[in-house]
Amino acid sequence: PRLLSQFFFADEEVTRVVAEINGLNAELDPQQYLVLLNQLHLSQAHLLAVLEQIMEECIPTQRHSRDYLVKFPEELLVDNLGNHMLFAAECLLAGTFLEAEEMDGAQLRAQARNLLCSLELVRTVLREQSLSQPGSYPEPVRAVLIQFDRLFAEFELSYVSSLVAVKSPEEIYRQQEIVVLFCETVERALRLGYLTQEMIDGYEPLLMFTIPRLAIISGLLIYPEGPLSLEQSSEQMSQVFSPFYNLLKKIRDLLQVLSAEELCLLERSLCTAE
C-alpha cells in the first residue's frame, strides 16, 4: 500500500517497456512497435499518477500553482493532460516539428530538457528511497519533487500557450460574469415559477436547453448592462457569445416589442419546448 513501493513497480514497468522498444527494429516489426508505444503511454500515465499522489502526500502545501489552467480551452482539460505534456517534451527533444515561432521553439526545447532531466532525477531518488525507507520523505526527496513540480507546471503553461490561444484575464472575467448571469437567471426562473427546485435537484435534462434560453432573455432585457450588453462591441463581449453578436441584436429588437404578458408566455414556452 505504500506509495513509494507503488512507484518502484510503476518505474520498473516503464523501464522494461523502454528497453523492449530500444531493442526492437521498428522497420522490421512496425506492428509490435506500435503495441510497445501504447504500453509505454499507459505505463508512463500510471507512473505520473503515482507520482502525483506522492507529491500530494509529501509536499501538499508547496505545490506549484495551477491557477493558469483556467486559461486553457475546456477541451484540453482532460485527465491525462500530464501524460500528453510528457510526450510533448520527449517529442521536442527528439526534434519533432512544432508549429511555433523559432524563439518559442528554442525556449520550449530548453524547458523540455530541464523537465525530463528533473523527471529522471525524481525517478532515481524515489527508487533509492523506496528501497531504503519506503515510509518517509527526507528533505532531499522533497526538494527534487518541488523542483519537478515547478518545471512541469512551467512547461505545461508555455507549451499550451504556444499552440492555442489561452484565455486572457479579461476573458476569464467575462465568463465569470456569464456564470453570474446564469445563476441570477435560475433564481428569477424559480421565483416566477418557470422552474422548480425538484427539476434542479434531479438534474432534469431539459434544463440544459431551458437555462441558456432564459439567460439570453435575461441578459438582453433584465440585465442589459451585464455580459450580453449590446452597448459594447462584439470584441468586448465574451467569446462564448461574440460570434452571435448580430443575432443577439435581432433577438433584442424582437423582445423589446413584446408586452409583459407576451414575454411571460415566451419564457414559459422556452421552458417546455425541445
Side-chain angles (χ1 to χ4, degrees):
R2 292 175 178 175
L3 288 176
L4 282 175
S5 298
Q6 294 179 36
F7 183 88
F8 177 86
F9 290 107
D11 186 75
E12 285 277 285
E13 179 63 14
V14 171
T15 301
R16 181 192 67 79
V17 177
V18 170
E20 287 193 38
I21 291 176
N22 290 338
L24 181 71
N25 189 323
E27 294 182 356
L28 295 179
D29 196 349
Q31 184 173 357
Q32 179 62 15
Y33 181 70
L34 292 177
V35 169
L36 290 175
L37 278 183
N38 184 60
Q39 289 182 12
L40 178 61
H41 180 80
L42 294 175
S43 61
Q44 284 182 330
H46 179 54
L47 181 72
L48 288 179
V50 177
L51 180 55
E52 178 69 21
Q53 294 181 63
I54 289 176
M55 290 191 290
E56 281 298 308
E57 180 178 86
C58 179
I59 54 171
T61 62
Q62 297 169 286
R63 299 293 305 272
H64 194 83
S65 172
R66 295 306 198 276
D67 290 347
Y68 59 82
L69 290 175
V70 301
K71 299 181 177 182
F72 290 3
E74 282 74 10
E75 59 270 19
L76 291 184
L77 300 179
V78 294
D79 292 338
N80 57 349
L81 179 60
N83 204 37
H84 288 309
M85 292 301 103
L86 182 59
F87 180 72
E90 293 170 339
C91 288
L92 278 167
L93 284 193
T96 300
F97 176 73
L98 176 70
E99 294 182 359
E101 297 293 336
E102 184 58 33
M103 183 178 298
D104 292 337
Q107 178 184 349
L108 283 172
R109 281 190 290 274
Q111 288 182 306
R113 183 178 300 104
N114 291 336
L115 171 61
L116 294 177
C117 288
S118 178
L119 177 59
E120 286 304 308
L121 179 59
V122 165
R123 290 176 64 183
T124 299
V125 169
L126 290 185
R127 281 176 64 89
E128 293 175 352
Q129 187 65 24
S130 68
L131 293 172
S132 57
Q133 294 178 303
S136 64
Y137 301 102
E139 187 55 36
V141 173
R142 297 166 61 88
V144 296
L145 289 174
I146 291 172
Q147 181 189 48
F148 170 75
D149 189 47
R150 175 181 60 82
L151 291 174
F152 200 106
E154 291 175 352
F155 175 76
E156 184 173 56
L157 176 58
S158 298
Y159 180 75
V160 173
S161 298
S162 71
L163 296 181
V164 300
V166 298
K167 300 173 186 174
S168 66
E170 292 77 18
E171 175 61 20
I172 293 172
Y173 178 75
R174 294 185 193 114
Q175 293 191 3
Q176 289 174 339
E177 284 188 314
I178 293 174
V179 173
V180 173
L181 171 63
F182 273 52
C183 292
E184 292 175 338
T185 297
V186 171
E187 182 180 354
R188 176 174 174 270
L190 288 171
R191 187 173 65 252
L192 296 177
Y194 297 155
L195 306 176
T196 66
Q197 190 62 49
E198 289 73 19
M199 294 173 66
I200 296 175
D201 294 341
Y203 301 100
E204 174 62 46
L206 186 60
L207 296 179
M208 295 177 61
F209 303 96
T210 298
I211 294 176
R213 291 167 175 171
L214 294 177
I216 290 175
I217 294 179
S218 295
L220 295 175
L221 292 184
I222 312 301
Y223 310 107
E225 297 180 357
L228 293 189
S229 172
L230 297 177
E231 299 303 317
Q232 59 186 339
S233 66
S234 60
E235 290 77 15
Q236 295 172 307
M237 186 176 285
S238 170
Q239 296 173 4
V240 176
F241 288 107
S242 59
F244 311 103
Y245 187 79
N246 292 329
L247 178 59
L248 289 171
K249 278 190 171 183
K250 294 178 181 179
I251 294 174
R252 182 197 60 181
D253 294 342
L254 291 172
L255 292 174
Q256 287 177 337
V257 302
L258 298 179
S259 65
E261 292 76 13
E262 290 171 330
L263 179 62
C264 178
L265 181 61
L266 172 62
E267 290 186 305
R268 287 190 180 279
S269 68
L270 291 177
C271 295
T272 57
E274 296 183 359

PDB file of all heavy atoms in Angstrom, residues 193-214:
ATOM      1  N   GLY A 193     -41.719  30.783 -11.122  1.00  0.00           N
ATOM      2  CA  GLY A 193     -42.376  29.500 -11.322  1.00  0.00           C
ATOM      3  C   GLY A 193     -42.093  28.843 -12.656  1.00  0.00           C
ATOM      4  O   GLY A 193     -42.759  27.875 -13.026  1.00  0.00           O
ATOM      5  N   TYR A 194     -41.104  29.338 -13.388  1.00  0.00           N
ATOM      6  CA  TYR A 194     -40.749  28.699 -14.659  1.00  0.00           C
ATOM      7  C   TYR A 194     -40.082  27.343 -14.415  1.00  0.00           C
ATOM      8  O   TYR A 194     -40.249  26.405 -15.194  1.00  0.00           O
ATOM      9  CB  TYR A 194     -39.792  29.578 -15.462  1.00  0.00           C
ATOM     10  CG  TYR A 194     -40.348  30.912 -15.872  1.00  0.00           C
ATOM     11  CD1 TYR A 194     -39.508  31.991 -16.132  1.00  0.00           C
ATOM     12  CD2 TYR A 194     -41.718  31.122 -16.023  1.00  0.00           C
ATOM     13  CE1 TYR A 194     -40.003  33.223 -16.529  1.00  0.00           C
ATOM     14  CE2 TYR A 194     -42.228  32.348 -16.409  1.00  0.00           C
ATOM     15  CZ  TYR A 194     -41.368  33.397 -16.657  1.00  0.00           C
ATOM     16  OH  TYR A 194     -41.865  34.614 -17.040  1.00  0.00           O
ATOM     17  N   LEU A 195     -39.305  27.271 -13.348  1.00  0.00           N
ATOM     18  CA  LEU A 195     -38.605  26.056 -12.968  1.00  0.00           C
ATOM     19  C   LEU A 195     -38.953  25.705 -11.530  1.00  0.00           C
ATOM     20  O   LEU A 195     -39.453  26.545 -10.782  1.00  0.00           O
ATOM     21  CB  LEU A 195     -37.079  26.248 -13.083  1.00  0.00           C
ATOM     22  CG  LEU A 195     -36.507  26.732 -14.409  1.00  0.00           C
ATOM     23  CD1 LEU A 195     -35.008  26.942 -14.289  1.00  0.00           C
ATOM     24  CD2 LEU A 195     -36.821  25.747 -15.523  1.00  0.00           C
ATOM     25  N   THR A 196     -38.686  24.467 -11.160  1.00  0.00           N
ATOM     26  CA  THR A 196     -38.874  24.036  -9.773  1.00  0.00           C
ATOM     27  C   THR A 196     -37.541  23.561  -9.205  1.00  0.00           C
ATOM     28  O   THR A 196     -36.639  23.149  -9.953  1.00  0.00           O
ATOM     29  CB  THR A 196     -39.893  22.886  -9.682  1.00  0.00           C
ATOM     30  OG1 THR A 196     -39.348  21.726 -10.347  1.00  0.00           O
ATOM     31  CG2 THR A 196     -41.215  23.281 -10.324  1.00  0.00           C
ATOM     32  N   GLN A 197     -37.437  23.608  -7.892  1.00  0.00           N
ATOM     33  CA  GLN A 197     -36.214  23.156  -7.240  1.00  0.00           C
ATOM     34  C   GLN A 197     -36.004  21.664  -7.477  1.00  0.00           C
ATOM     35  O   GLN A 197     -34.861  21.196  -7.569  1.00  0.00           O
ATOM     36  CB  GLN A 197     -36.283  23.443  -5.744  1.00  0.00           C
ATOM     37  CG  GLN A 197     -34.968  23.229  -5.010  1.00  0.00           C
ATOM     38  CD  GLN A 197     -33.862  24.150  -5.513  1.00  0.00           C
ATOM     39  OE1 GLN A 197     -34.063  25.346  -5.642  1.00  0.00           O
ATOM     40  NE2 GLN A 197     -32.693  23.583  -5.796  1.00  0.00           N
ATOM     41  N   GLU A 198     -37.121  20.916  -7.610  1.00  0.00           N
ATOM     42  CA  GLU A 198     -37.019  19.477  -7.862  1.00  0.00           C
ATOM     43  C   GLU A 198     -36.358  19.207  -9.213  1.00  0.00           C
ATOM     44  O   GLU A 198     -35.578  18.253  -9.355  1.00  0.00           O
ATOM     45  CB  GLU A 198     -38.410  18.833  -7.820  1.00  0.00           C
ATOM     46  CG  GLU A 198     -39.042  18.755  -6.434  1.00  0.00           C
ATOM     47  CD  GLU A 198     -39.521  20.104  -5.926  1.00  0.00           C
ATOM     48  OE1 GLU A 198     -39.708  21.032  -6.757  1.00  0.00           O
ATOM     49  OE2 GLU A 198     -39.686  20.245  -4.701  1.00  0.00           O
ATOM     50  N   MET A 199     -36.643  20.053 -10.215  1.00  0.00           N
ATOM     51  CA  MET A 199     -36.022  19.882 -11.522  1.00  0.00           C
ATOM     52  C   MET A 199     -34.514  20.071 -11.431  1.00  0.00           C
ATOM     53  O   MET A 199     -33.742  19.332 -12.055  1.00  0.00           O
ATOM     54  CB  MET A 199     -36.612  20.893 -12.513  1.00  0.00           C
ATOM     55  CG  MET A 199     -38.083  20.685 -12.825  1.00  0.00           C
ATOM     56  SD  MET A 199     -38.763  22.023 -13.836  1.00  0.00           S
ATOM     57  CE  MET A 199     -37.843  21.791 -15.366  1.00  0.00           C
ATOM     58  N   ILE A 200     -34.099  21.046 -10.639  1.00  0.00           N
ATOM     59  CA  ILE A 200     -32.665  21.320 -10.500  1.00  0.00           C
ATOM     60  C   ILE A 200     -31.989  20.222  -9.695  1.00  0.00           C
ATOM     61  O   ILE A 200     -30.931  19.712 -10.072  1.00  0.00           O
ATOM     62  CB  ILE A 200     -32.457  22.692  -9.835  1.00  0.00           C
ATOM     63  CG1 ILE A 200     -33.009  23.790 -10.756  1.00  0.00           C
ATOM     64  CG2 ILE A 200     -30.981  22.928  -9.531  1.00  0.00           C
ATOM     65  CD1 ILE A 200     -32.970  25.166 -10.147  1.00  0.00           C
ATOM     66  N   ASP A 201     -32.601  19.836  -8.561  1.00  0.00           N
ATOM     67  CA  ASP A 201     -32.016  18.792  -7.724  1.00  0.00           C
ATOM     68  C   ASP A 201     -31.946  17.461  -8.452  1.00  0.00           C
ATOM     69  O   ASP A 201     -31.051  16.650  -8.210  1.00  0.00           O
ATOM     70  CB  ASP A 201     -32.836  18.629  -6.442  1.00  0.00           C
ATOM     71  CG  ASP A 201     -32.772  19.868  -5.551  1.00  0.00           C
ATOM     72  OD1 ASP A 201     -31.836  20.672  -5.739  1.00  0.00           O
ATOM     73  OD2 ASP A 201     -33.656  20.030  -4.693  1.00  0.00           O
ATOM     74  N   GLY A 202     -32.896  17.232  -9.375  1.00  0.00           N
ATOM     75  CA  GLY A 202     -32.924  15.974 -10.115  1.00  0.00           C
ATOM     76  C   GLY A 202     -32.169  16.015 -11.428  1.00  0.00           C
ATOM     77  O   GLY A 202     -32.220  15.062 -12.201  1.00  0.00           O
ATOM     78  N   TYR A 203     -31.445  17.138 -11.677  1.00  0.00           N
ATOM     79  CA  TYR A 203     -30.663  17.290 -12.917  1.00  0.00           C
ATOM     80  C   TYR A 203     -31.515  17.011 -14.153  1.00  0.00           C
ATOM     81  O   TYR A 203     -31.140  16.225 -15.027  1.00  0.00           O
ATOM     82  CB  TYR A 203     -29.437  16.372 -12.915  1.00  0.00           C
ATOM     83  CG  TYR A 203     -28.488  16.619 -11.771  1.00  0.00           C
ATOM     84  CD1 TYR A 203     -28.500  15.788 -10.643  1.00  0.00           C
ATOM     85  CD2 TYR A 203     -27.596  17.685 -11.797  1.00  0.00           C
ATOM     86  CE1 TYR A 203     -27.646  16.022  -9.577  1.00  0.00           C
ATOM     87  CE2 TYR A 203     -26.731  17.926 -10.735  1.00  0.00           C
ATOM     88  CZ  TYR A 203     -26.757  17.096  -9.631  1.00  0.00           C
ATOM     89  OH  TYR A 203     -25.917  17.327  -8.580  1.00  0.00           O
ATOM     90  N   GLU A 204     -32.681  17.631 -14.198  1.00  0.00           N
ATOM     91  CA  GLU A 204     -33.584  17.475 -15.327  1.00  0.00           C
ATOM     92  C   GLU A 204     -32.852  17.833 -16.625  1.00  0.00           C
ATOM     93  O   GLU A 204     -32.348  18.944 -16.791  1.00  0.00           O
ATOM     94  CB  GLU A 204     -34.800  18.386 -15.146  1.00  0.00           C
ATOM     95  CG  GLU A 204     -35.745  18.432 -16.316  1.00  0.00           C
ATOM     96  CD  GLU A 204     -36.363  17.090 -16.636  1.00  0.00           C
ATOM     97  OE1 GLU A 204     -36.808  16.413 -15.682  1.00  0.00           O
ATOM     98  OE2 GLU A 204     -36.373  16.728 -17.818  1.00  0.00           O
ATOM     99  N   PRO A 205     -32.752  16.898 -17.595  1.00  0.00           N
ATOM    100  CA  PRO A 205     -32.009  17.168 -18.844  1.00  0.00           C
ATOM    101  C   PRO A 205     -32.493  18.401 -19.601  1.00  0.00           C
ATOM    102  O   PRO A 205     -31.703  19.082 -20.254  1.00  0.00           O
ATOM    103  CB  PRO A 205     -32.223  15.891 -19.656  1.00  0.00           C
ATOM    104  CG  PRO A 205     -32.498  14.831 -18.635  1.00  0.00           C
ATOM    105  CD  PRO A 205     -33.257  15.513 -17.543  1.00  0.00           C
ATOM    106  N   LEU A 206     -33.787  18.688 -19.507  1.00  0.00           N
ATOM    107  CA  LEU A 206     -34.342  19.826 -20.231  1.00  0.00           C
ATOM    108  C   LEU A 206     -33.694  21.147 -19.811  1.00  0.00           C
ATOM    109  O   LEU A 206     -33.645  22.103 -20.588  1.00  0.00           O
ATOM    110  CB  LEU A 206     -35.858  19.892 -20.011  1.00  0.00           C
ATOM    111  CG  LEU A 206     -36.633  20.957 -20.807  1.00  0.00           C
ATOM    112  CD1 LEU A 206     -36.458  20.729 -22.306  1.00  0.00           C
ATOM    113  CD2 LEU A 206     -38.099  20.950 -20.406  1.00  0.00           C
ATOM    114  N   LEU A 207     -33.135  21.173 -18.591  1.00  0.00           N
ATOM    115  CA  LEU A 207     -32.520  22.412 -18.096  1.00  0.00           C
ATOM    116  C   LEU A 207     -31.314  22.823 -18.934  1.00  0.00           C
ATOM    117  O   LEU A 207     -30.955  23.998 -18.973  1.00  0.00           O
ATOM    118  CB  LEU A 207     -32.103  22.239 -16.632  1.00  0.00           C
ATOM    119  CG  LEU A 207     -33.223  21.998 -15.619  1.00  0.00           C
ATOM    120  CD1 LEU A 207     -32.645  21.834 -14.223  1.00  0.00           C
ATOM    121  CD2 LEU A 207     -34.217  23.149 -15.642  1.00  0.00           C
ATOM    122  N   MET A 208     -30.676  21.862 -19.594  1.00  0.00           N
ATOM    123  CA  MET A 208     -29.520  22.181 -20.431  1.00  0.00           C
ATOM    124  C   MET A 208     -29.901  23.114 -21.567  1.00  0.00           C
ATOM    125  O   MET A 208     -29.066  23.859 -22.082  1.00  0.00           O
ATOM    126  CB  MET A 208     -28.904  20.899 -20.989  1.00  0.00           C
ATOM    127  CG  MET A 208     -28.311  19.980 -19.943  1.00  0.00           C
ATOM    128  SD  MET A 208     -27.669  18.439 -20.649  1.00  0.00           S
ATOM    129  CE  MET A 208     -26.410  19.100 -21.744  1.00  0.00           C
ATOM    130  N   PHE A 209     -31.173  23.068 -21.967  1.00  0.00           N
ATOM    131  CA  PHE A 209     -31.659  23.955 -23.021  1.00  0.00           C
ATOM    132  C   PHE A 209     -32.410  25.149 -22.441  1.00  0.00           C
ATOM    133  O   PHE A 209     -32.299  26.268 -22.934  1.00  0.00           O
ATOM    134  CB  PHE A 209     -32.589  23.176 -23.972  1.00  0.00           C
ATOM    135  CG  PHE A 209     -31.951  21.969 -24.586  1.00  0.00           C
ATOM    136  CD1 PHE A 209     -32.129  20.707 -24.041  1.00  0.00           C
ATOM    137  CD2 PHE A 209     -31.155  22.088 -25.714  1.00  0.00           C
ATOM    138  CE1 PHE A 209     -31.536  19.586 -24.610  1.00  0.00           C
ATOM    139  CE2 PHE A 209     -30.562  20.987 -26.293  1.00  0.00           C
ATOM    140  CZ  PHE A 209     -30.752  19.729 -25.739  1.00  0.00           C
ATOM    141  N   THR A 210     -33.147  24.892 -21.369  1.00  0.00           N
ATOM    142  CA  THR A 210     -34.004  25.930 -20.796  1.00  0.00           C
ATOM    143  C   THR A 210     -33.210  27.092 -20.217  1.00  0.00           C
ATOM    144  O   THR A 210     -33.479  28.260 -20.517  1.00  0.00           O
ATOM    145  CB  THR A 210     -34.903  25.327 -19.703  1.00  0.00           C
ATOM    146  OG1 THR A 210     -35.742  24.341 -20.280  1.00  0.00           O
ATOM    147  CG2 THR A 210     -35.752  26.404 -19.053  1.00  0.00           C
ATOM    148  N   ILE A 211     -32.219  26.785 -19.384  1.00  0.00           N
ATOM    149  CA  ILE A 211     -31.487  27.846 -18.680  1.00  0.00           C
ATOM    150  C   ILE A 211     -30.733  28.758 -19.649  1.00  0.00           C
ATOM    151  O   ILE A 211     -30.804  29.992 -19.521  1.00  0.00           O
ATOM    152  CB  ILE A 211     -30.548  27.241 -17.616  1.00  0.00           C
ATOM    153  CG1 ILE A 211     -31.390  26.576 -16.517  1.00  0.00           C
ATOM    154  CG2 ILE A 211     -29.644  28.302 -17.020  1.00  0.00           C
ATOM    155  CD1 ILE A 211     -30.575  25.850 -15.464  1.00  0.00           C
ATOM    156  N   PRO A 212     -29.999  28.233 -20.643  1.00  0.00           N
ATOM    157  CA  PRO A 212     -29.353  29.156 -21.593  1.00  0.00           C
ATOM    158  C   PRO A 212     -30.340  30.035 -22.345  1.00  0.00           C
ATOM    159  O   PRO A 212     -30.073  31.212 -22.594  1.00  0.00           O
ATOM    160  CB  PRO A 212     -28.607  28.206 -22.542  1.00  0.00           C
ATOM    161  CG  PRO A 212     -28.372  26.976 -21.750  1.00  0.00           C
ATOM    162  CD  PRO A 212     -29.578  26.837 -20.886  1.00  0.00           C
ATOM    163  N   ARG A 213     -31.509  29.473 -22.719  1.00  0.00           N
ATOM    164  CA  ARG A 213     -32.505  30.276 -23.423  1.00  0.00           C
ATOM    165  C   ARG A 213     -33.001  31.419 -22.542  1.00  0.00           C
ATOM    166  O   ARG A 213     -33.098  32.575 -22.976  1.00  0.00           O
ATOM    167  CB  ARG A 213     -33.687  29.389 -23.832  1.00  0.00           C
ATOM    168  CG  ARG A 213     -33.357  28.374 -24.916  1.00  0.00           C
ATOM    169  CD  ARG A 213     -34.479  27.353 -25.029  1.00  0.00           C
ATOM    170  NE  ARG A 213     -34.275  26.419 -26.133  1.00  0.00           N
ATOM    171  CZ  ARG A 213     -35.015  25.336 -26.329  1.00  0.00           C
ATOM    172  NH1 ARG A 213     -36.004  25.047 -25.502  1.00  0.00           N
ATOM    173  NH2 ARG A 213     -34.778  24.542 -27.366  1.00  0.00           N
ATOM    174  N   LEU A 214     -33.323  31.081 -21.293  1.00  0.00           N
ATOM    175  CA  LEU A 214     -33.794  32.112 -20.374  1.00  0.00           C
ATOM    176  C   LEU A 214     -32.692  33.126 -20.068  1.00  0.00           C
ATOM    177  O   LEU A 214     -32.965  34.315 -19.882  1.00  0.00           O
ATOM    178  CB  LEU A 214     -34.287  31.470 -19.071  1.00  0.00           C
ATOM    179  CG  LEU A 214     -35.530  30.585 -19.172  1.00  0.00           C
ATOM    180  CD1 LEU A 214     -35.844  29.959 -17.812  1.00  0.00           C
ATOM    181  CD2 LEU A 214     -36.725  31.378 -19.680  1.00  0.00           C
TER     182      LEU A 214
END
